[in-house]
Amino acid sequence: MGKIFVLSVTDHEEYILSRIMEIIAAEPGFDHTVSSHPCNILVFPGLELRLKERTVHRNGELISMTHREFATLVYLANHPSWVFSAGQIYEEVWGGGR
């Protein structure tokens, strides 16, 4: 019989959920669904982008980034598997009075 795992963590404990999801994602044939990440956090295996705080953590370690580097990474993370030209990225990050 299948099991259901429910976990609730606070914003400052979000790294725990990220580590658990990395382990689950690495297991072949293991079905998992993530629906509980707040919309202000983007999570990828080994990488967590905290939009509200404007911080990036790789494997739990804070990565220092400029405002534009962070904006570029968020733009690309919001469009996985998309291909952009340098001009498109520039326009999105620097253009339009942002």
Side-chain angles (χ1 to χ4, degrees):
M1 173 181 230
K3 307 284 190 238
I4 296 175
F5 178 71
V6 177
L7 174 68
S8 177
V9 295
T10 63
D11 285 344
H12 71 277
E13 297 171 329
E14 196 70 30
Y15 72 95
I16 294 169
L17 182 59
S18 296
R19 291 181 64 200
I20 292 169
M21 292 311 299
E22 286 176 29
I23 293 167
I24 290 172
E27 286 295 318
F30 195 91
D31 293 327
H32 64 283
T33 303
V34 178
S35 61
S36 61
H37 285 300
C39 60
N40 62 350
I41 298 177
L42 299 175
V43 178
F44 300 91
L47 190 67
E48 182 177 280
L49 287 73
R50 297 181 181 193
L51 306 180
K52 186 176 175 182
E53 299 170 9
R54 294 191 171 274
T55 59
V56 177
H57 296 262
R58 186 181 65 197
N59 298 323
E61 182 180 332
L62 179 65
I63 303 299
S64 178
M65 296 187 128
T66 68
H67 174 74
R68 299 291 187 196
E69 289 170 336
F70 181 79
T72 302
L73 182 58
V74 169
Y75 179 64
L76 295 173
N78 277 319
H79 301 88
S81 302
W82 290 34
V83 177
F84 296 101
S85 69
Q88 289 172 309
I89 295 169
Y90 180 86
E91 182 62 33
E92 180 62 31
V93 175
W94 281 268
R98 292 184 189 154

